[in-house]
Amino acid sequence: MPRKIILDVDTGSDDAVAIMSAILSPDVQLEALCSVAGNKEIEYTTENTLRVVQLLKADVPVYRGAKYPLVKFLCPDRLPEDEHLEVVHDGKVVQMHSDYLDIPEAKIKEQPISAAEFYVKYLREAKEPVTLVAVGPLTNLALAFRIDPTIVKNIEEIVIMGGGYNITNCTPTAEFNIWYDPEAAEIVINSGAKVTLVPLDATHAACITLDDCKRFRALNTVAGKFIAELCEQRIIVHNATQPLDVPDAAAVHDALCIAYLIDPTVLKDVRHVHCNVGFRDFCEGQTILDMRYFTEPANCWFAFDGDRFKFADILCDLAAKSEPLAE
Ligand code: RIB
Ligand code: CA
């Protein structure tokens, strides 16, 4: 039986790969997509999400989510994100996430209720537990838990792309999704659901290479071509700003969460730990793990490593299921 999931995205380049993976996988039943502000403003992340659904001709409802984090922007003393370096390649500016994905403008429309309202309604009425996969800031889920904490009874697991132990990205202590809405992350991690964190330690280890992109392109499918384009774009930016141990490679963070649902062994060194989220000063957005012998009771599963070979094979297998490219 395919696993029912709801995917929460701030579509962006790696979110798009996660959405395509979820749509194409026979092991996953994508019940809905919820957009949230993060990589880009909500107008862009919602439009980009609709564009990916349209590209794969999928029948998946999209719910527009939160325009702002819970409280962060109310506090003038919050740390600003480090400036993004401008990357120029072959005379063109290349971003990790462009404003709009380079696929046709969406003609399909979002649903009439907000993501938080949808979560509460869906989870109150669910006849069986569902897995929530959050690959952007956790604002929507936190709002839903604040409206009705009992929805946790119908959540099988919350898989979060977020956090970092030895690796960070947007500040010296934080990963972007957690940093963008730290209070939301703390609420969700302590919601009482089974929480699995897929942090930068895992996503950087399970990186995708230019050779993998050649495999995706050789499939001659719609998803194979688009996934290769998105990963090649990310490799250019990684090489310039966050070079990985593996040359000419990129983390495709969000799609690793879907790969985990298909084959959990794609995550390695997964430990049950206690995590709190830093709210202030230099630890704002930090996933603070208690690694002492006598620790706080564990509240999440944290993957300290990932398998790049298994991940590339999973993406290749999924991309092959996509529609052939028009001649
Ligand atoms: O830090 C990486 C995460 O931030 C990914 O989910 C990426 O899409 C951005 O949202
Ligand atoms: Ca994301």
Side-chain angles (χ1 to χ4, degrees), residues 72-261:
K72 186 185 183 89
F73 291 174
L74 301 178
C75 317
D77 63 335
R78 302 298 282 263
L79 280 181
E81 184 182 2
D82 293 350
E83 277 302 307
H84 286 277
L85 299 171
E86 180 165 278
V87 176
V88 179
H89 182 80
D90 285 348
K92 279 193 288 184
V93 172
V94 181
Q95 296 175 295
M96 196 68 95
H97 307 286
S98 35
D99 286 349
Y100 290 111
L101 292 175
D102 188 15
I103 49 179
E105 185 177 340
K107 296 207 176 7
I108 59 173
K109 299 293 176 211
E110 69 215 47
Q111 299 301 303
I113 61 170
S114 72
E117 292 168 287
F118 163 72
Y119 278 124
V120 172
K121 182 174 185 321
Y122 181 98
L123 292 169
R124 278 177 175 165
E125 296 170 2
K127 297 288 181 281
E128 58 192 68
V130 68
T131 295
L132 306 184
V133 182
V135 297
L138 291 156
T139 315
N140 294 332
L141 294 189
L143 287 169
F145 280 120
R146 281 314 199 214
I147 293 167
D148 181 359
T150 69
I151 57 175
V152 71
K153 68 183 183 303
N154 275 327
I155 298 173
E156 181 176 357
E157 180 177 9
I158 303 177
V159 183
I160 298 169
M161 191 282 130
Y165 186 66
N166 290 311
I167 301 175
T168 65
N169 55 15
C170 69
T171 74
T173 58
E175 176 280 324
F176 178 80
N177 287 339
I178 308 299
W179 173 86
Y180 192 87
D181 200 339
E183 288 81 4
E186 181 75 5
I187 289 168
V188 175
I189 289 171
N190 293 291
S191 61
K194 175 186 177 185
V195 172
T196 299
L197 283 172
V198 182
L200 297 175
D201 308 79
T203 64
H204 281 219
C207 55
I208 295 297
T209 68
L210 278 180
D211 286 343
D212 296 325
C213 295
K214 290 190 182 88
R215 290 173 63 195
F216 304 154
R217 280 187 182 282
L219 297 167
N220 274 321
T221 64
V222 170
K225 175 175 180 290
F226 191 36
I227 291 173
E229 288 169 355
L230 292 166
C231 293
E232 287 159 359
Q233 166 188 331
R234 295 181 61 86
I235 290 169
I236 289 168
V237 180
H238 263 286
N239 281 345
T241 64
Q242 297 175 58
L244 303 183
D245 296 341
V246 176
D248 287 332
V252 189
H253 312 283
D254 300 342
L256 188 59
C257 295
I258 305 301
Y260 158 71
L261 299 180

Side-chain angles (χ1 to χ4, degrees), residues 10 14-15 39 135-136 177 254:
D10 60 334
D14 56 329
D15 307 73
N39 282 321
V135 297
N177 287 339
D254 300 342

